[in-house]
Structures are given as structure tokens and as C-alpha cells.
Amino acid sequence: MDSRNTVERAQRLKQLHADFKPLVLPTVWDVWSARTAAGAGFPALTIGSHPLADSRGAEDQEGQTFEEVLAAVRPIIAAVDVPVSVDLEAGYGQKPADLIAGLTEVGGVGLNIEDTVHSEGGRVRTTQEHASYIAGLRAAADDAGIPVWINGRTDLFLHAENASDVLDEAIERLRAMEEAGADSVYPVRIQDNDELLSAVTGAVGVPVNSTAHPVKHDLERFRRLGVGRITYGPLLQLALTDAMKDMLRPWAP
């Protein structure tokens, strides 16, 4: 993709986060789903690692190489005229500069980066380690002259037996990501907990991303709780899977 077009898309994605509270980015996985979501009127999209992997018969949690992911997302990004962010899991073992270079070369203008390192037995990066990686991404994007939107994700709530027990640690991590240059932060697995969502949205100065189910959740509730950005993770694909099964079941032998 032409570098000027990539810069323009990145600038547009940044503006959209300012214009919409929250900005909803449907999570897509192939050209068909991307064109469908864009055709429904959404001004930006995100490609999810889980649905992308499922669509390709691969495993989530870095079951594909970085090169395989780039090859898969390139035609998706090229198929739509809206900014597209890409879930890059924990970075596939890449240095921040290489991650930014690969993403922007295929036209991606945003990324999601998590702190569970799947290539190292699923360990969780320390707060400083994850913040340093995000700082490296920010510096690399700045050096490239492309304002890549960085969505910093933490899995602390996901791994905790009791999510409330790690709230203070999670807030510390979210703030560290913000200070390191993350444009938004993503505390996974608290989308159904009003108290925890309110706590984290009130603790940081950047948009908080929440997972949502396109049928079971309510947009106004997320707005009321201060959520600034919504993605579907694998839930849109799973909802369509359920709908497809319901349509096909009467025709099955």
C-alpha cells in the first residue's frame, strides 16, 4: 500500500477515536467479513487473532508466524477503504521496530499488543517489560512517520481467579502502558463487570477498550460506563457460527 495512503488512514483512525465515544471497531477475519462490516457503515475495523486463526485452520495464541499473519491480513486491508487495526498478540517474538515495519508495509494502521507471551509458555510480561515494549512500538511508529494506533492489552483479569483482587495491579499496568505511549488500553475479560469497567475507565486518560458481543451487549451501557473503544474479539464470528448452525440445522440429514 502507498505510504501516503497508510499515513492518511492512520490519521483517520486517530480522529475517529476522538469523534466517537465509544468507537466500535467490528472484529473481522477475511475479505468477506471486512467488506460486510464496512458496507454496514463502520468507519474502521480490526482484525482479530482468534477469528483469523479459526478462518485459516490455525491455532490462536501465536499458532501462526508473523509472516503468515501479514500474508493473511494484506488482502483484507486492501479490500476496504477504511483504516484497519490488527491484533498482533504478544508480537510473535519480533522486535518492536520489525513489528511496526511489517504492519505498516501491508497497510495496517493500528495494532493490539498483549502481555501474555505465548512463545514462552504463556508467561505474563512484567508491568515494566510490557510498557517498555510499547514504548519501543511508539518510537518505531514515530520514526516511520506513521501515527500507528497502539492498543495495549493486559490479561491480568483473564488469569486471575478473582478479577477484583488484581484491580490495583491492573490499573498500575494500564497507567504504565499509557505513559509508554499506548493510545488506548485493553483490560480483557471484564466486559460484564460494571464496577471494574468503571474503575479502569476512571483511572486512565486514554480510551479503554472493551470486548463486546454484538447481540448480547448494549452499546449505551458501555458509553455510560466510560468505555472509549469496543471490539468484538472472537464473539462476532461465534455469533455468526451460531446463526449459521440454526439456519442449516433443518436441512441436515
Side-chain angles (χ1 to χ4, degrees):
M1 181 173 291
D2 182 87
S3 60
R4 288 174 297 179
N5 193 14
T6 302
V7 171
E8 290 172 0
R9 287 193 181 193
Q11 292 171 337
R12 198 185 325 164
L13 182 59
K14 183 176 182 178
Q15 186 60 48
L16 288 168
H17 280 87
D19 291 343
F20 292 92
K21 304 290 185 182
L23 175 64
V24 180
L25 299 114
T27 305
V28 300
W29 55 90
D30 60 10
V31 168
W32 168 80
S33 58
R35 285 178 171 166
T36 301
F42 287 92
L45 308 171
T46 184
I47 298 171
S49 66
H50 191 161
L52 180 69
D54 274 359
S55 74
R56 292 167 54 79
E59 294 294 325
D60 189 28
Q61 301 182 348
E62 299 192 358
Q64 301 179 85
T65 66
F66 184 45
E67 291 72 20
E68 288 171 334
V69 169
L70 292 181
V73 304
R74 182 190 293 271
I76 304 173
I77 294 169
V80 293
D81 190 27
V82 299
V84 180
S85 181
V86 182
D87 180 357
L88 294 179
E89 304 205 57
Y92 304 96
Q94 302 292 309
K95 295 179 180 178
D98 294 331
L99 205 71
I100 291 293
L103 172 72
T104 55
E105 196 277 327
V106 298
V109 296
L111 63 89
N112 183 76
I113 192 76
E114 64 193 58
D115 54 6
T116 300
V117 188
H118 305 291
S119 62
E120 299 178 19
R123 74 173 184 88
V124 178
R125 291 182 178 125
T126 66
T127 294
Q128 185 54 54
E129 182 186 9
H130 196 47
S132 295
Y133 194 89
I134 287 173
L137 294 171
R138 179 82 281 146
D142 290 346
D143 289 344
I146 303 173
V148 173
W149 187 275
I150 299 173
N151 188 45
R153 167 175 154 170
T154 180
D155 291 346
L156 288 183
F157 292 116
L158 172 66
H159 295 308
E161 290 186 12
N162 185 341
S164 297
D165 291 343
V166 297
L167 175 60
D168 290 343
E169 182 182 358
I171 287 175
E172 178 186 359
R173 183 162 297 212
L174 296 172
R175 286 173 171 166
M177 289 191 281
E178 178 184 1
E179 292 174 3
D183 299 289
S184 56
V185 291
Y186 187 10
V188 172
R189 197 58 71 86
I190 60 170
Q191 64 265 21
D192 293 314
N193 190 314
D194 288 16
E195 183 177 349
L196 292 180
L197 271 178
S198 294
V200 297
T201 59
V204 296
V206 293
V208 172
N209 190 117
S210 179
T211 308
H213 190 288
V215 177
K216 297 177 181 179
H217 283 130
D218 176 60
L219 178 59
E220 290 305 315
R221 168 179 166 268
F222 287 113
R223 182 176 288 117
R224 185 175 66 253
L225 293 173
V227 171
R229 170 182 159 119
I230 291 173
T231 52
Y232 295 139
L235 300 182
L236 173 59
Q237 189 184 60
L238 292 173
L240 290 173
T241 299
D242 291 339
M244 184 174 177
K245 287 179 179 178
D246 289 342
M247 286 187 288
L248 291 178
R249 195 167 286 113
W251 298 82

